[in-house]
């Protein structure tokens, strides 16, 4: 595998289910990100981890819970979601050597549908 | 606070015509600016970025962008559109965030190429 991978690519869940999204980066980067992309809003940053520590929690509801066990893996745990949480969830990573000028590399996303 | 505005949510051009996608930014500090492209059912891919070196930045697939501080603009151009350029394009500004960075995206511009 190369770049940033995400699993599953598609997920349908009920409002009472618990599920997890997985992201893995094969680039040796030290920062990872979760973004939400919905039809009517710009891309929204949800969480940022740098060296496995969370540095941003962008006012995200507690029904979304991130986990970064090491610099290569990032999870997003989901529980009791709402239909408005249906969106494309994108993971990204970056090396963060250039103080804001680094390129973020994105995975293909997980298309989440909440029924 | 840093922000980005993309003028035109949809742009349509004929194959072989000039492509011009507009991006204006707001930043209290010298910005790092990015253009990303998203093809259907895929994540975002970097086209090019401005990191305070040359004001004319060349990217992949024949795209380029010019940073104009006086106009707070970073418009994306390509001299001759190809059918494969049909995609959604996002302009973003980077905000340093602890040991990582935060990308603030514009609303996106969907580019359609007419044969």
């Amino acid at each position: 595998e190369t770049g940033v991978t995400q699993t599953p690519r598609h997920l349908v869940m009920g409002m009472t289910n618990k599920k997890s999204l997985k992201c893995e980066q094969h680039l040796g980067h030290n920062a990872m990100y979760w973004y939400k992309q919905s039809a009517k809003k710009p891309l929204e940053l949800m969480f940022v981890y740098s060296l496995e520590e969370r540095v941003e929690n962008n006012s995200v509801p507690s029904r979304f819970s991130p986990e970064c066990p090491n610099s290569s893996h990032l999870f997003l745990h989901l529980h009791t979601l709402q239909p408005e949480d249906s969106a494309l969830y994108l993971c990204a990573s970056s090396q963060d050597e250039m103080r804001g000028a680094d390129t973020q590399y994105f995975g293909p996303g997980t298309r989440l549908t909440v029924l | 606070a840093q922000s980005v505005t993309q003028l035109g949510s949809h742009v349509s051009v004929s194959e072989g015509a000039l492509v011009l996608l507009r991006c204006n930014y707001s930043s209290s500090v010298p910005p790092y600016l990015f253009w990303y492209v998203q093809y259907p059912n895929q994540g975002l891919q970097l086209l090019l970025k401005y990191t305070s070196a040359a004001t004319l930045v060349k990217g992949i697939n024949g795209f380029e962008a010019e940073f104009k501080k006086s106009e707070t603009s970073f418009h994306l151009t390509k001299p001759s559109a190809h059918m494969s350029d049909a995609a959604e394009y996002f302009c973003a500004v980077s905000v340093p965030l602890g040991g990582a960075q935060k990308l603030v995206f514009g609303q996106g511009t969907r580019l359609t190429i007419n044969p």
Side-chain angles (χ1 to χ4, degrees):
Chain A
E1 292 278 15
T2 58
V4 180
T5 58
Q6 291 187 241
T7 54
R9 293 293 308 275
H10 301 271
L11 178 63
V12 179
M13 59 187 289
M15 293 169 60
T16 58
N17 291 158
K18 289 184 180 181
K19 296 286 185 183
S20 295
L21 310 184
K22 178 183 175 183
C23 174
E24 184 172 2
Q25 60 95 0
H26 309 266
L27 300 168
H29 290 165
N30 56 21
M32 297 187 77
Y33 311 77
W34 279 117
Y35 289 87
K36 176 182 178 183
Q37 185 179 29
S38 50
K40 299 188 176 180
K41 288 186 176 181
L43 275 150
E44 302 171 74
L45 178 66
M46 300 176 72
F47 300 103
V48 181
Y49 279 82
S50 177
L51 297 172
E52 300 148 46
E53 290 192 17
R54 191 190 304 181
V55 296
E56 174 85 347
N57 176 2
N58 218 19
S59 302
V60 178
S62 59
R63 56 186 183 268
F64 295 92
S65 174
E67 179 190 1
C68 187
N70 55 62
S71 60
S72 298
H73 294 87
L74 184 64
F75 295 89
L76 188 63
H77 304 298
L78 316 171
H79 64 97
T80 58
L81 294 191
Q82 305 298 312
E84 60 264 29
D85 297 322
S86 297
L88 182 68
Y89 289 84
L90 291 163
C91 175
S93 70
S94 65
Q95 182 54 38
D96 287 311
E97 294 175 325
M98 297 172 64
R99 295 282 178 184
D102 299 277
T103 298
Q104 290 188 18
Y105 293 82
F106 285 79
T110 295
R111 174 70 63 187
L112 174 66
T113 303
V114 181
L115 301 176
Chain B
Q2 282 87 339
S3 66
V4 165
T5 301
Q6 291 183 241
L7 298 176
S9 58
H10 290 89
V11 170
S12 181
V13 303
S14 298
E15 191 174 18
L18 171 72
V19 174
L20 171 60
L21 304 182
R22 299 178 187 273
C23 173
N24 288 89
Y25 69 90
S26 172
S27 176
S28 56
V29 297
Y32 298 128
L33 295 161
F34 300 75
W35 275 101
Y36 280 86
V37 61
Q38 186 177 30
Y39 298 102
N41 302 313
Q42 295 188 26
L44 277 68
Q45 179 185 3
L46 180 74
L47 277 177
L48 49 82
K49 65 180 179 182
Y50 169 74
T51 58
S52 72
T55 56
L56 182 62
V57 183
K58 295 188 183 298
I60 62 171
N61 301 339
F63 284 93
E64 62 181 38
E66 187 171 8
F67 173 73
K68 290 188 177 180
K69 185 178 178 180
S70 60
E71 298 178 7
T72 61
S73 69
F74 190 55
H75 302 331
L76 181 71
T77 59
K78 182 174 180 177
S80 177
H82 192 272
M83 295 299 290
S84 60
D85 295 327
E88 186 145 23
Y89 292 79
F90 295 92
C91 184
V93 62
S94 175
V95 180
L97 189 67
Q101 66 183 88
K102 172 178 174 176
L103 284 178
V104 176
F105 286 91
Q107 302 92 321
T109 298
R110 184 168 299 280
L111 177 64
T112 302
I113 311 297
N114 302 313

